[in-house]
């Protein structure tokens, strides 16, 4: 499914902000301004089928607001969101899209509610009208996809599980609806380093199997290493959109909106400043290590050539 944002603006104040804008009485104030009327302003971009789109931006830049438009949970104050060309403003379209786009909130474990893991994971598919005879299979598969054992956990209270397990159960509840697009708000926030890596690898695995993924993250390293494109929001507007190579090429520009660079990119910049001849265009630790090895190899070869002459 192709999800298209067409000049989307959103205000939590609804019509009030619209009025201000139309009358031109008050120019929008951004960021930390207490009366900032627009959480999103003139946002246009497309989520392409099969891509892994990262979303970055300072606190309050509009990331969570943006992704809640993706399954019609909230609707643009101005502009349109189109799923395969059909506007989500139509209730019928929004209802259909909601089953195809799985939205996982930040700290989704806080939304667990049922008495058993089974009933919690089953809630979504039951709500979608999946026949009861298929529910157990859905729940079993979803729990297995997040690396949990159906037999061990189905009868347990979700609240008796560890935080990391609770996050997986909450995630399974979304997967049980078989979404073709996953939209994740800071999916690894608050997990320890090992759980974090496992969780992100799991998400990359879903993407490799064909699921379209949209992931909000504060970690430039995670975005650089995993996403095919990155959208940067600043004060509700699209600040940058492109491949990691394009977006992370200009460190100063990113710093101007309160963002950093992926650690390997920042480190490479420092090496270059110190006169080390390092090529550009990489984002992960492995790629940095390879680039350093290649640069050293070139230096050694040049020295040997000079010695022979
Ligand atoms: N329920 C709400 N009611 C009113 N204003 C809101 C509401 N939720 C968010 N906002 C405002 O909308 C703007 C964008 O908020 P949003 O939560 O989308 O930012 P974010 O990029 O997700 O931030 P963070 O990184 O802190 O999660 C902020 O100015 C915020 O104060
Ligand atoms: Mg947020």
């Amino acid at each position: 499914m192709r999800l298209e944002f067409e000049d989307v603006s959103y205000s939590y104040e609804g019509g009030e902000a619209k009025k201000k804008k139309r009358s031109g009485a008050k120019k929008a104030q951004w960021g930390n301004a207490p009366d900032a009327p627009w959480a999103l302003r003139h946002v246009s971009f497309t989520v392409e089928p099969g891509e892994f789109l990262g979303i970055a931006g300072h606190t309050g830049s509009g990331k969570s607001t943006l992704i809640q438009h993706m399954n019609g949970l909230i609707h643009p104050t101005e502009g349109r969101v189109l799923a395969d060309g059909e506007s989500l403003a139509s209730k019928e379209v929004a209802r259909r899209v909601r089953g195809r786009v799985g939205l996982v909130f930040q700290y989704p474990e806080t939304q667990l509610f049922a008495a058993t893991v089974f009933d919690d994971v089953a809630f979504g598919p039951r709500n979608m009208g999946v026949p009861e005879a298929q529910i157990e299979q859905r729940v079993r598969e979803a729990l297995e996809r997040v690396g949990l054992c159906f037999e061990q956990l189905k009868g347990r209270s979700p609240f008796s599980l560890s935080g990391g397990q609770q996050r997986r159960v909450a995630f399974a509840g979304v997967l049980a609806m078989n979404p073709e697009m996953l939209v994740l708000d800071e999916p690894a926030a608050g997990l320890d380093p090992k759980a974090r890596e496992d969780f992100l690898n799991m998400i990359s695995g879903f993407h490799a199997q064909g699921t379209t993924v949209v992931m909000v993250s504060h970690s430039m390293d995670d975005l650089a290493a995993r996403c095919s494109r990155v959208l940067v929001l600043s004060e509700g507007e699209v600040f940058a959109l492109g491949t990691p190579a394009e977006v992370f090429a200009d460190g100063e520009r990113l710093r101007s909106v309160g963002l950093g660079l992926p650690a390997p990119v920042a480190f490479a910049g420092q090496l270059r400043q110190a006169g080390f001849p390092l090529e550009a265009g990489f984002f992960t630790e492995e790629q940095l290590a390879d680039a350093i090895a290649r640069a050293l190899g070139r230096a050694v070869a040049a020295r040997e050539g000079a010695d022979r002459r």
Side-chain angles (χ1 to χ4, degrees), residues 271-289:
L271 284 175
R272 273 187 220 104
Q273 254 180 8
F276 195 78
L278 212 52
E279 65 221 47
F282 56 83
F283 318 99
T284 66
E285 288 166 17
E286 290 78 15
Q287 290 168 336
L288 173 62

Side-chain angles (χ1 to χ4, degrees), residues 63-64 106 185:
K63 304 180 296 296
S64 298
Q106 202 166 2
D185 201 347

Side-chain angles (χ1 to χ4, degrees), residues 10-307:
Y10 184 80
S11 165
Y12 284 97
E13 297 164 32
E16 193 43 38
K18 262 173 138 175
K19 245 190 313 190
K20 282 179 192 165
K21 183 216 156 220
R22 288 219 180 93
S23 69
K26 185 171 185 303
K27 193 176 179 305
Q29 295 292 310
W30 304 122
N32 296 326
D35 60 345
W38 295 107
L40 294 176
R41 200 69 185 123
H42 299 309
V43 171
S44 295
F45 73 101
T46 303
V47 184
E48 299 292 345
E51 81 168 320
F52 193 147
L53 177 70
I55 299 183
H58 59 77
T59 287
S61 58
K63 304 180 296 296
S64 298
T65 306
L66 179 73
I67 63 170
Q68 288 174 55
H69 283 79
M70 292 184 175
N71 72 346
L73 200 62
I74 59 179
H75 293 281
T77 308
E78 295 177 7
R80 298 194 302 172
V81 180
L82 307 170
D84 288 335
E86 292 182 294
S87 172
L88 266 65
S90 145
K91 280 209 174 83
E92 166 57 21
V93 175
R95 196 187 56 75
R96 261 188 283 129
V97 166
R98 200 157 295 169
R100 294 165 71 190
V101 178
L103 184 60
V104 184
F105 291 98
Q106 202 166 2
Y107 298 105
E109 58 276 18
T110 58
Q111 292 179 10
L112 296 172
F113 70 99
T116 64
V117 166
F118 187 104
D119 282 337
D120 221 303
V121 177
F123 178 79
R126 277 179 177 148
N127 210 23
M128 281 168 65
V130 173
E132 198 55 34
Q134 294 170 24
I135 292 289
E136 179 171 325
Q137 187 58 20
R138 288 275 190 125
V139 174
R140 180 187 291 275
E141 277 174 14
L143 286 171
E144 282 168 2
R145 287 185 78 190
V146 298
L148 295 176
C149 175
F150 173 79
E151 293 300 339
Q152 265 175 20
L153 293 185
K154 64 179 178 183
R156 295 258 310 259
S157 159
F159 305 106
S160 70
L161 305 177
S162 76
Q165 285 172 323
Q166 287 186 12
R167 173 114 16 133
R168 284 172 188 262
V169 170
F171 207 90
V174 171
L175 292 178
M177 292 184 273
N178 286 346
E180 61 192 82
M181 184 185 292
L182 273 174
V183 180
L184 313 158
D185 201 347
E186 284 280 349
L191 297 176
D192 68 44
K194 166 84 170 71
R196 220 187 121 69
E197 201 57 22
D198 287 350
F199 216 77
L200 291 169
N201 285 341
M202 187 175 83
I203 292 163
S204 292
F206 296 151
H207 175 245
Q209 289 159 19
T211 305
T212 306
V213 179
V214 177
M215 179 170 85
V216 171
S217 177
H218 279 108
S219 163
M220 297 301 126
D221 290 52
D222 291 346
L223 294 172
R226 295 176 188 275
C227 298
S228 39
R229 287 197 307 159
V230 178
L231 170 73
V232 180
L233 286 178
S234 175
E235 298 175 348
E237 298 186 45
V238 175
F239 180 78
L241 173 62
T243 62
E246 290 160 351
V247 169
F248 295 119
D250 191 344
E252 279 313 309
R253 193 164 175 263
L254 284 176
R255 268 192 279 274
S256 75
V257 291
L259 296 181
L261 286 174
V265 179
F267 185 58
Q270 286 165 0
L271 284 175
R272 273 187 220 104
Q273 254 180 8
F276 195 78
L278 212 52
E279 65 221 47
F282 56 83
F283 318 99
T284 66
E285 288 166 17
E286 290 78 15
Q287 290 168 336
L288 173 62
D290 287 346
I292 291 174
R294 279 196 299 276
L296 287 174
R298 283 195 298 273
V300 169
R303 161 88 53 91
E304 285 173 356
D307 286 351

